[in-house]
Amino acid sequence: MLSVVDDENTRKRTPAEAQPVYEAVDAFNEELREQGSWVFAGGLTEPAMATTVDARGPEVALVDGPFIESKEYLGGFWIIQAHDLDVALKIATRASRACGGKVEVRPFEAEPQGTE
């Protein structure tokens, strides 16, 4: 998974400043599809739009806003297929250039073996 790390400055882009980024991300997404690495991607709204759900106790708690206050936050993501970490890092480098921000690379956990 490639996670796009946004910050306060990212959300302050004017529409004119954001348009080239959208176009670069669209082109990058097309490259991923053509090379067979594309699985899914999506952008997220700002953290203020979040609702946190906590159903660990007897009552369900719904809280407006993010779970954690932070200057950086998940702004979007790509789910990709990559043969190994080196390939994923090369793809993430292109993703960072396209979106104009930091991109975190994190693999999914492997399924436990023999738990059928």
Side-chain angles (χ1 to χ4, degrees), residues 14-31:
T14 66
E17 293 169 331
Q19 189 59 39
V21 175
Y22 297 148
E23 291 170 4
V25 168
D26 286 345
F28 173 68
N29 289 341
E30 189 56 36
E31 288 177 28

Side-chain angles (χ1 to χ4, degrees), residues 5 7 12 14 19-20 35 41 48 53 70 78 83 86 99 102 107 114:
V5 180
D7 59 27
K12 291 180 182 176
T14 66
Q19 189 59 39
Q35 73 184 36
V53 179
S70 175
W78 285 275
H83 296 296
D86 289 336
C99 72
K102 294 187 273 186

